[in-house]
Amino acid sequence: MSNALATAGARPGSLARRERLFAYSLLAPAVIAVFALIAYPMYLIFSMSFREGKSLNFLAMGSRPFGLGNYEAVLTDSATWHSVWVSFAYTFGTIVPAFLIGLGTALLLNRVFPLRRWLRSLMLLPWAVPGVMVSIIFVWLFDASFGVVNYFPRTLGLVSTDIAWYSTESTALFAVIVPTIWKAIPSSR
C-alpha cells in the first residue's frame, strides 16, 4: 500500500516538473528575443558610452580606450543643462495645468445644470482628435502670418507686429505646451 502511494506521489511531481519544463520551453523564444533585441543592444550602448572620442565605426570602437571623457563632456556642456531645464519646464508646464483644468472641469461637470451632457461630450473632443490633427490645427492657430492667436492681440493693439510663435525662443515652448495641455485635459479628469 505504501509502495502504491509512493508511486502515486511521484507522478504528480514528475508531471509538475514536465509542465514546468514545457512552460519554460515555450517561454525560451521570447526570452531569447528580448535578450537579442533589448539586453544586448543596451549592453553595447553602455559599453560604447565609456569609449573615449566620437566614432560611428563600430569595428574600431573596441580599440578606443575606456574613460569618463564622454560623460564629462556632456555634463559640463551648457546645452545639456539647458535641455534639462526645457524638459523640466515642458513637463511641469503641461502636467500641472492639465491636471488643474481637468480637475476643475470634473468638479464643474459633477454638478447638475442645463446642457451638462453636451458639455461632457464636448470635453471629450481633445481625446478623440488624433495627435497629428491637433499638431496641424495648432500650427495654423499659432502661424505668424494668418494665425488666429496673432490676430486678436494685433486687433486689440497689444502687439504691433505678428509673433513667430514657433521660431522665437521665448515663445516656442509656450506654443508647444498649449496644444499638449489641450490634448491632455480629457485624460486628466
Side-chain angles (χ1 to χ4, degrees):
M1 183 89 136
S2 64
N3 200 10
L5 286 176
T7 308
R11 282 192 182 157
S14 65
L15 179 63
R17 190 176 320 125
R18 282 190 305 219
E19 286 178 350
R20 207 173 316 123
L21 183 63
F22 180 67
Y24 287 138
S25 66
L26 290 177
L27 258 162
V31 170
I32 291 169
V34 164
F35 180 78
L37 296 174
I38 296 173
Y40 183 67
M42 288 298 289
Y43 161 75
L44 287 177
I45 290 169
F46 186 72
S47 172
M48 285 172 32
S49 73
F50 285 104
R51 299 292 181 163
E52 294 286 343
K54 299 177 183 177
S55 175
L56 291 178
N57 185 357
F58 294 112
L59 298 176
M61 199 53 89
S63 64
R64 295 192 173 274
F66 276 102
L68 296 174
N70 293 336
Y71 287 99
E72 181 184 349
V74 168
L75 294 175
T76 58
D77 189 6
S78 63
T80 300
W81 298 109
H82 177 69
S83 298
V84 168
W85 154 217
V86 168
S87 297
F88 177 75
Y90 175 78
T91 303
F92 188 77
T94 55
I95 291 175
V96 171
F99 174 76
L100 293 175
I101 293 169
L103 179 64
T105 57
L107 292 173
L108 174 72
L109 294 176
N110 198 27
R111 299 179 182 265
V112 178
F113 59 90
L115 300 175
R116 182 175 77 157
R117 289 183 185 180
W118 287 94
L119 189 57
R120 279 184 177 174
S121 300
L122 188 64
M123 289 306 299
L124 287 176
L125 182 65
W127 173 78
V129 177
V132 173
M133 291 303 299
V134 171
S135 300
I136 292 170
I137 290 167
F138 276 92
V139 163
W140 285 346
L141 288 173
F142 282 106
D143 187 73
S145 301
F146 56 87
V148 175
V149 176
N150 274 333
Y151 174 76
F152 290 118
R154 194 176 55 245
T155 304
L156 295 172
L158 298 174
V159 293
S160 58
T161 61
D162 290 334
I163 301 169
W165 291 93
Y166 291 111
S167 301
T168 309
E169 186 177 342
S170 60
T171 59
L173 186 60
F174 175 77
V176 173
I177 286 175
V178 169
T180 307
I181 292 171
W182 186 80
K183 181 74 174 154
I185 288 173
S187 59
S188 62
R189 283 191 293 139

